[in-house]
Amino acid sequence: MNLLRRITAGWQWFSRAVRESLFWTLLMRQRVIVRWLVTTLILSAVIDVLIAQAVVAMVDDAIVDQAVPLADYVRQIALLAVVRFAVGFLNRQLTVRLSYHMEFELRTWLYSRIQAAELQRLQSVSNGQYVTRSMTDVHLIQEILQYLPVIVGLAPVILGLGIFVLIISPPMGVLALAALPLNLGIVSRFRKRLSALSFADLYERSEVAGAIDEPVRGIRVVKAFSREARERARVRATTDRAFRLNMSRVRLLARYDIPIKAGPVLVNAAVLFIGARLVASGSLSLGEFLIAFQVAGGITILAQLFDELAGGWQYLRSAQTRVASLLALGRRPREGRALPTSATGVALGGVDIAYDDHVVLAGVDLEVRPGELVVLTGPPRSGKSAVAQVAAGLLEPAAGEVVLDGLPIGLIDVAAVRRSVRVAVEEPMLFTGTFRSNLDLGAPWPTSDEEIRAAARAAGADEVIASFPDGLDSPVGERGLTLSGGQRQRVALARSLVVPPRVLILDDALSAVNPSLELQILRRIRAHAPDMAILCITRREGPAALADRVVELPAPAAARLAEPTP
C-alpha cells in the first residue's frame, strides 16, 4: 500500500512538473503536430506487436512444425515492415518539424520578452549570459528535442511488446523488463548532483563567453592601457573553472557508467538462460523465446543509455531554467490602444523614480508639447537619464503617471510607443554595415535616399557621410568604431529623424559635438520636424538659449547632505 502511495505521489509530482514546464507550454502551441506524432507512435506500437505475433507464428508453425507454408508469413511480415517503415518515416519527419517549430517559437518568444523588459532588469544580466542563454542554450534545447520524442516514442513500443511477452510468458516478461527499473534506481542515486553540476556547467560556459566578449569589444581600451596579459589571465581563470566543473560532471557520470552498462547485460544473460530452460522443458515455444529475447535485447540497449539520457535530460532542464529566467525579465508584450491622430506631446505628472526600491527622484512634473524644445538640466546623478527612460516608456515610475498624446503610456501599444518616442543617447550603438543600413533602422517602412539625406542634414551627419568615398554605402565598421564619438552621435541622431517621431528625447546625445555645431543641429532639427516635441537633456548651457522652457533637477540627496553649511 505504501509503495502504491509513493508511486501515485511520484506520478502526480512528475505530471505537475511537466505541465508547469516551459516545454509543455511550447508543445501546446504545436497541438496539430503533437496529435499526429502521438498517432504515429501508437501505430508504431501496434504494428510492432503484430510483427512480433507473426514472427512467433512463423517460427513455431512454419519453421519448427512445418505445418504452414513459410511464404505466407514472409509476405505478411514484409507488408507489415513496409507499413512500419512508412509510419516511422512520418514519425521522424514530424519529430524534426516539431523540434524546429519549438525552437522558432522559443527564440521569437525570448526576443519579444527581452524587448519588452525594463532597462533595469536587462542590465542585471551580463552580455555573456545573454549570448549563451539565447543562442547556445536554445540550440542545446533544440538538439535534445530532436531525440526526446524518439526516446519518448519508444515507451508505447516497449510497453506494447512487454505486455505481449508478459501474456505469452510472465516469467520472461518480468525478466525482459527488469533492466529498466534497475537502471532507474541507479540514476536516481546521482540525479540531484547531476542536475546541480549541469546548471553550474552551463553558467560557467556563459561566464567564459562574457570574459571573451568584453575585452574583444573593448580591444582599443585593453591595448591603450597595455592590459592584454591581465585579460588573458582573467579568461584563463574563467575557462579553468568551467573545465573543472565539466570534469566533475564527467567523473560523476563515469562513476556510475559501469553498473549502468553491466546491469542490463546480466539481465539479458538471465533471460537467455531461463528462456533456454523453459524451451527445454516445453513451457515456452521457440518463437516465443525468440521474441522475448529480442525484446530484452532492445530494452538492454535502452537501459544502457540511461546515463547519457540522464545527462541530456539534466542539461535540458538546466537550459530550460536559464532560458525561463530570461523570459521572466520582460512582461508579456501587450496589444494596447492605438495613439490618437492628434499629438499633444508627453507629460509626467507627480512621477517618482526608484532603483532597487530606493527613490532617486520624487514628484517630477514635466510637459513637452508639439513644436516645443524643453531643456532638462541638473547636476551629475540628479536623475536626468532616468527621466528620459520614464518619458520614453522604458522604465516604469514608482508613482505618478506618464501621458503620451492624452493617453497613459502604459495603455498604449508598445510598438506604437517605440515608433512615436525616440531616445538618442550619449553612447549610441551603430551596427556593422553601411551608413544606409544603419539609417534605415529608423524607418518602419522603405525610405528613399532623399529622406535619408534630409535626416542626415538635420543631424549634421551629411558631412560625415560625404567624407567617405562611397557615401551612404560606405561601411561604418563594427559598432561604428571607424567614426569619432561626435560622428557616431550625429549618425545615430539622423537615424532617429529619418521618420520623425512625435517626441524626440536627446539624452546628452550631442555631448561629443562642438558646442556651436550642437546649436546649429538643434535649429536644423526644429526646421526638419516643426511639430515634433523635443526634450533635450544636457549638461551644457548653450541649448537653454534656444529652449522654450528650461527645467532644472535638484542635486541628489547625498550631494545636498555633503554640502557645507554656511
Side-chain angles (χ1 to χ4, degrees):
M1 202 64 171
N2 290 333
L3 177 61
L4 180 61
R5 193 179 299 113
R6 290 177 63 184
I7 293 174
T8 303
W11 172 253
Q12 290 175 347
W13 172 85
F14 176 76
S15 59
R16 184 173 61 254
V18 169
R19 288 194 302 271
E20 294 174 355
S21 68
L22 174 64
F23 302 108
W24 182 260
T25 304
L26 293 171
L27 277 175
M28 290 302 98
R29 295 186 176 194
Q30 308 295 331
R31 293 176 186 269
V32 175
I33 299 178
V34 170
R35 289 193 188 103
W36 278 103
L37 185 59
V38 171
T39 302
T40 58
L41 292 175
I42 295 173
L43 283 175
S44 298
V46 172
I47 295 171
D48 286 338
V49 171
L50 292 176
I51 292 175
Q53 287 179 328
V55 169
V56 171
M58 181 183 69
V59 172
D60 292 341
D61 299 338
I63 296 177
V64 177
D65 297 337
Q66 297 184 354
V68 180
L70 183 62
D72 294 343
Y73 289 109
V74 171
R75 283 193 296 269
Q76 181 184 354
I77 294 173
L79 178 61
L80 289 172
V82 170
V83 177
R84 181 66 175 84
F85 171 79
V87 174
F89 179 80
L90 179 59
N91 178 273
R92 183 58 182 165
Q93 293 293 316
L94 290 171
T95 299
V96 173
R97 180 174 296 231
L98 177 65
S99 66
Y100 278 105
H101 273 269
M102 290 178 67
E103 181 191 16
F104 174 78
E105 289 281 348
L106 183 56
R107 289 189 187 277
T108 305
W109 191 11
L110 184 62
Y111 180 78
S112 62
R113 284 298 182 93
I114 291 176
Q115 289 293 313
E118 296 179 7
L119 290 180
Q120 279 179 276
R121 305 189 73 181
L122 289 176
Q123 292 167 357
S124 65
V125 181
S126 67
N127 286 339
Q129 295 288 341
Y130 278 121
V131 170
T132 53
R133 294 188 193 191
S134 60
M135 297 181 66
T136 306
D137 287 9
V138 173
H139 184 65
L140 176 65
I141 291 171
Q142 187 267 334
E143 281 191 335
I144 296 176
L145 285 177
Q146 284 192 12
Y147 301 101
L148 189 61
V150 177
I151 297 167
V152 173
L154 290 174
V157 174
I158 292 174
L159 181 63
L161 292 174
I163 292 173
F164 176 72
V165 175
L166 279 170
I167 292 172
I168 62 177
S169 176
M172 293 294 289
V174 171
L175 270 177
L177 296 171
L180 295 177
L182 175 66
N183 276 6
L184 279 174
I186 296 175
V187 169
S188 66
R189 295 177 61 87
F190 65 92
R191 175 179 57 85
K192 291 184 178 180
R193 288 189 61 196
L194 182 61
S195 176
L197 286 172
S198 298
F199 188 89
D201 182 28
L202 291 177
Y203 180 84
E204 287 301 330
R205 291 188 193 184
S206 302
E207 293 300 300
V208 171
I212 295 173
D213 176 74
E214 289 179 2
V216 168
R217 290 182 180 273
I219 189 65
R220 293 188 176 186
V221 176
V222 173
K223 287 184 174 295
F225 289 92
S226 189
R227 306 298 286 174
E228 293 92 341
R230 176 180 177 274
E231 292 302 323
R232 281 196 300 270
R234 189 163 72 95
V235 171
R236 186 182 301 111
T238 308
T239 53
D240 283 346
R241 284 198 309 272
F243 175 77
R244 287 196 297 271
L245 270 171
N246 187 265
M247 289 305 299
S248 298
R249 185 177 182 276
V250 170
R251 281 193 292 268
L252 177 65
L253 289 171
R255 184 184 308 166
Y256 292 93
D257 183 67
I258 292 178
I260 286 177
K261 293 291 190 295
V265 174
L266 295 176
V267 170
N268 209 27
V271 170
L272 180 61
F273 175 77
I274 295 176
R277 295 292 299 269
L278 291 174
V279 170
S281 65
S283 303
L284 190 69
S285 71
L286 186 60
E288 292 169 344
F289 168 72
L290 179 63
I291 289 300
F293 188 68
Q294 287 181 335
V295 171
I299 292 174
T300 296
I301 294 173
L302 177 63
Q304 287 179 330
L305 296 175
F306 270 23
D307 55 344
E308 298 174 26
L309 294 177
W313 174 251
Q314 294 301 340
Y315 263 146
L316 186 65
R317 289 188 60 196
S318 300
Q320 170 195 277
T321 303
R322 287 159 51 81
V323 171
S325 67
L326 283 188
L327 291 172
L329 288 176
R331 303 162 300 178
R332 182 175 182 177
R334 59 182 183 271
E335 295 182 2
R337 298 170 60 179
L339 282 169
T341 54
S342 58
T344 59
V346 62
L348 281 66
V351 165
D352 291 355
I353 302 174
Y355 287 100
D356 298 327
D357 298 326
H358 174 66
V359 177
V360 296
L361 271 177
V364 177
D365 293 306
L366 177 67
E367 183 179 8
V368 188
R369 293 184 288 267
E372 284 188 336
L373 170 61
V374 175
V375 169
L376 179 67
T377 186
R381 299 181 61 194
S382 59
K384 300 185 294 296
S385 294
V387 172
Q389 294 175 18
V390 170
L394 299 173
L395 176 66
E396 285 190 1
E401 187 177 46
V402 181
V403 177
L404 176 63
D405 293 337
L407 293 175
I409 201 168
L411 301 180
I412 304 172
D413 183 72
V414 173
V417 174
R418 300 289 182 265
R419 288 192 300 267
S420 301
V421 183
R422 296 282 173 82
V423 182
V425 296
E426 185 175 14
E427 293 291 339
M429 169 70 182
L430 296 183
F431 293 91
T432 303
T434 63
F435 285 105
R436 187 191 305 279
S437 63
N438 273 277
L439 295 177
D440 273 340
L441 289 173
W445 52 76
T447 53
S448 64
D449 282 3
E450 185 52 41
E451 290 175 301
I452 293 176
R453 294 184 190 281
R457 283 194 297 272
D462 52 339
E463 299 174 0
V464 178
I465 297 171
S467 65
F468 284 79
D470 295 326
L472 287 171
D473 296 316
S474 301
V476 299
E478 185 176 0
R479 298 174 64 89
L481 291 179
T482 59
L483 307 177
S484 68
Q487 289 174 330
R488 283 200 302 274
Q489 287 183 342
R490 284 182 278 170
V491 172
L493 179 56
R495 180 170 58 194
S496 299
L497 297 173
V498 172
V499 176
R502 297 189 180 194
V503 179
L504 176 65
I505 301 175
L506 305 176
D507 186 6
D508 272 325
L510 296 171
S511 60
V513 174
N514 184 281
S516 60
L517 179 57
E518 178 184 19
L519 299 182
Q520 293 179 26
I521 291 172
L522 289 174
R523 293 189 183 96
R524 292 179 193 174
I525 292 174
R526 300 192 74 174
H528 176 72
D531 295 327
M532 183 170 62
I534 304 173
L535 175 61
C536 180
I537 299 172
T538 181
R539 298 186 295 268
R540 293 175 174 175
E541 298 179 357
L546 304 178
D548 296 291
R549 291 193 310 281
V550 177
V551 178
E552 185 172 358
L553 294 177
R560 291 196 299 270
L561 291 174
E563 291 178 356
T565 55

